[in-house]
């Protein structure tokens, strides 16, 4: 049987680490503004004599025609709506729709490569009958004070909105840099520590990882297994691939628990309530409702552990020698791109 290992931790204070650097620039703010424009856009009908163009929203009827000129029922759709240029249609007819007018009918012949990503089309020649029912266009609002005021009452001018965006992105980047710094720090502590993780703990971590993987797929486990098998793998193969990271996760947990104990880190009821108030505000709940929810679901202990870990790493990062690492673009940083 397995026993809890004696966790022998090496140096953990005063460690030297490199943290990524991320500065929020004009392009980051502009990207967010473009998204807000999209979210506040309106869709209007194009004129009857207008021609279909890229980015127009098209409503079409289409039908596949077989060699004898008959309609193929399973290849038939009415009032199919898609944005021209996105490729969000089965037969990839974006370029063929461009130039058509409302009410126009057209016969399109398509030939697909043998290695086409859609196996149902690969290597085929297809004839389609298409009718363009309507065209709409997305109108974006002007980037001005009116847009800022429409987004929220807290903004009077576009400058206010830009300032708020930059502040939010800066906070997100700082949080991610801190998260990465903590991971670099715990990795260094693991390297300098000496203990063996029991197989039963690694197995439990792998089981949890597998259950999370199935949950994220939003499919029954048997369907996931079929997809994996189609890729020439088994569940056992995947668990074996995950084993090193699962072992590191367990070591990280054991080291964190040991350091919280050694450093005598405690979390008061007042600190728990303060964190609950923050989470309640974010979730749009009252403090009492949030507190009852955590209590009824047995989540108070998890919140306490989370706050204990936060206090520990705040302490360790204060003692660490943090040097500037590579400069990171905001999106690369947030998406964990190297």
């Amino acid at each position: 049987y397995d026993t809890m290992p004696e966790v022998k931790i090496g140096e953990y204070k005063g460690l030297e680490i490199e943290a990524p650097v991320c500065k929020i620039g004009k392009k980051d703010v502009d990207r967010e503004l473009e998204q807000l424009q999209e979210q506040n856009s309106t869709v209007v009908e194009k004129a009857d004599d207008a021609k279909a163009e890229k980015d127009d929203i098209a409503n079409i009827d289409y039908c596949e025609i077989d060699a004898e000129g008959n309609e193929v029922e399973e290849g038939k759709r009415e009032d199919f709506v898609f944005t021209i240029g996105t490729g969000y249609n089965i037969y990839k007819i974006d370029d063929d729709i461009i130039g058509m007018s409302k009410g126009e009918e057209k016969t399109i012949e398509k030939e697909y490569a043998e290695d086409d990503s859609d196996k149902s089309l690969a290597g085929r020649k297809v004839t389609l009958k298409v009718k363009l029912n309507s065209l709409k266009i997305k109108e974006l609002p002007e980037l001005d004070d009116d847009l800022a005021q429409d987004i929220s009452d807290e903004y009077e001018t576009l400058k206010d909105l830009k300032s708020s965006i930059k502040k939010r992105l800066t906070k997100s980047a700082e949080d991610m840099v801190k998260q990465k710094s903590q991971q670099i720090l715990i990795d260094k502590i693991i390297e300098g520590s000496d203990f063996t993780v029991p197989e039963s703990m690694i197995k439990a971590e792998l089981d949890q990882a597998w259950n999370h993987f199935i949950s994220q797929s939003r499919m029954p486990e048997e369907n996931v297994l079929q997809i994996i098998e189609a890729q020439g793998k088994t569940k056992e193969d995947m668990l074996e691939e995950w084993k090193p990271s699962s072992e590191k996760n367990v070591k990280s947990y054991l080291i964190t628990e040991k350091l919280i104990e050694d450093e005598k880190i405690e979390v008061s009821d007042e600190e728990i309530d303060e964190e609950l108030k923050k989470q309640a505000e974010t979730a749009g709940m009252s403090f009492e409702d949030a507190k009852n929810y955590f209590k009824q679901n047995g989540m108070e202990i998890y919140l306490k552990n989370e706050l204990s870990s936060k206090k520990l790493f705040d302490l360790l990062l204060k003692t660490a020698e943090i040097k500037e690492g590579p400069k990171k673009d905001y999106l690369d940083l947030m998406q964990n791109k190297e």
Side-chain angles (χ1 to χ4, degrees):
Y1 58 89
D2 286 332
T3 57
M4 184 65 75
E6 181 184 354
V7 182
K8 297 179 181 177
I9 302 175
E11 288 294 327
Y12 63 90
K13 286 185 177 179
L15 296 177
E16 182 182 303
I17 65 170
E18 268 193 3
V21 177
C22 179
K23 300 291 185 185
I24 303 303
K26 182 177 181 298
K27 68 173 183 178
D28 299 307
V29 175
D30 287 347
R31 184 177 54 248
E32 293 290 311
L33 285 172
E34 287 173 9
Q35 291 179 5
L36 289 170
Q37 275 185 299
E38 283 282 338
Q39 292 166 14
N40 289 272
S41 63
T42 55
V43 176
V44 297
E45 291 273 357
K46 290 188 77 171
D48 289 342
D49 59 348
K51 303 287 187 183
E53 299 174 295
K54 185 178 179 297
D55 297 327
D56 286 352
I57 300 167
N59 179 309
I60 64 172
D61 297 338
Y62 69 80
C63 184
E64 185 177 335
I65 306 298
D66 65 18
E68 285 74 41
N70 301 313
E71 295 185 348
V72 179
E73 198 60 36
E74 58 268 26
K76 187 176 183 180
R77 285 286 301 273
E78 292 183 353
D79 293 322
F80 178 75
V81 178
F82 74 105
T83 301
I84 300 173
T86 60
Y88 292 154
N89 58 85
I90 296 172
Y91 293 99
K92 306 171 187 176
I93 54 175
D94 297 63
D95 291 342
D96 305 283
I97 300 295
I98 290 176
M100 289 181 67
S101 301
K102 181 178 176 181
E104 182 180 347
E105 294 187 17
K106 184 178 182 180
T107 299
I108 299 170
E109 293 186 352
K110 302 285 288 184
E111 188 171 347
Y112 301 94
E114 293 288 345
D115 60 351
D116 193 276
S117 57
D118 187 336
K119 290 184 169 35
S120 67
L121 295 173
R124 290 183 60 200
K125 289 183 179 180
V126 175
T127 300
L128 295 169
K129 187 168 65 177
V130 178
K131 179 185 177 185
L132 180 59
N133 298 319
S134 69
L135 283 173
K136 294 182 180 181
I137 190 168
K138 189 182 290 183
E139 291 189 344
L140 300 178
E142 292 292 328
L143 280 174
D144 54 20
D145 295 347
D146 288 339
L147 174 61
Q149 292 163 15
D150 287 342
I151 288 170
S152 174
D153 292 339
E154 66 180 286
Y155 310 127
E156 289 188 5
T157 65
L158 181 61
K159 186 178 178 180
D160 294 338
L161 175 58
K162 288 181 177 180
S163 176
S164 175
I165 290 172
K166 187 169 185 177
K167 185 177 179 181
R168 173 170 56 81
L169 295 183
T170 299
K171 177 69 166 59
S172 295
E174 287 173 351
D175 289 345
M176 181 58 78
V177 167
K178 185 175 180 181
Q179 183 181 322
K180 286 182 175 294
S181 299
Q182 290 179 183
Q183 188 57 56
I184 294 167
L185 194 58
I186 194 68
D187 287 347
K188 276 210 163 190
I189 297 172
I190 288 173
E191 285 175 18
S193 301
D194 180 26
F195 63 97
T196 302
V197 176
E199 283 296 322
S200 58
M201 295 186 78
I202 297 174
K203 183 180 181 304
E205 178 70 15
L206 284 169
D207 287 343
Q208 185 174 335
W210 177 258
N211 291 334
H212 179 69
F213 177 65
I214 297 297
S215 174
Q216 290 290 98
S217 73
R218 297 183 179 179
M219 290 187 290
E221 184 173 1
E222 58 188 33
N223 290 4
V224 176
L225 289 171
Q226 287 173 358
I227 294 171
I228 292 171
E229 287 169 9
Q231 297 171 347
K233 291 185 177 182
T234 65
K235 175 182 176 180
E236 288 68 30
D237 292 334
M238 294 194 67
L239 293 180
E240 191 61 33
E241 289 174 11
W242 295 351
K243 193 170 182 178
S245 61
S246 291
E247 182 176 357
K248 189 166 85 168
N249 287 344
V250 175
K251 282 188 173 183
S252 175
Y253 168 75
L254 292 173
I255 286 172
T256 300
E257 288 295 295
K258 182 73 166 58
L259 289 179
I260 287 172
E261 180 184 341
D262 290 351
E263 292 293 329
K264 296 180 174 54
I265 289 175
E266 295 180 352
V267 176
S268 67
D269 291 340
E270 290 76 16
E271 287 172 316
I272 292 174
D273 284 351
E274 194 59 37
E275 180 61 26
L276 274 173
K277 285 175 185 175
K278 289 179 186 176
Q279 295 197 19
E281 187 177 343
T282 302
M285 300 170 66
S286 70
F287 167 65
E288 287 303 323
D289 286 344
K291 191 166 186 175
N292 289 334
Y293 176 81
F294 271 74
K295 190 171 184 178
Q296 289 167 6
N297 290 278
M299 294 168 65
E300 288 175 315
I301 185 66
Y302 296 106
L303 182 59
K304 188 171 184 177
N305 289 341
E306 185 181 310
L307 291 174
S308 297
S309 296
K310 182 178 181 300
K311 290 180 81 170
L312 170 67
F313 281 102
D314 284 347
L315 170 67
L316 297 183
L317 287 172
K318 274 183 184 176
T319 70
E321 185 181 343
I322 302 175
K323 296 187 175 181
E324 284 193 359
K327 290 181 170 57
K328 289 280 190 179
D329 178 82
Y330 177 78
L331 285 183
D332 290 344
L333 176 71
M334 302 307 289
Q335 296 169 5
N336 285 316
K337 288 184 180 178
E338 294 300 326

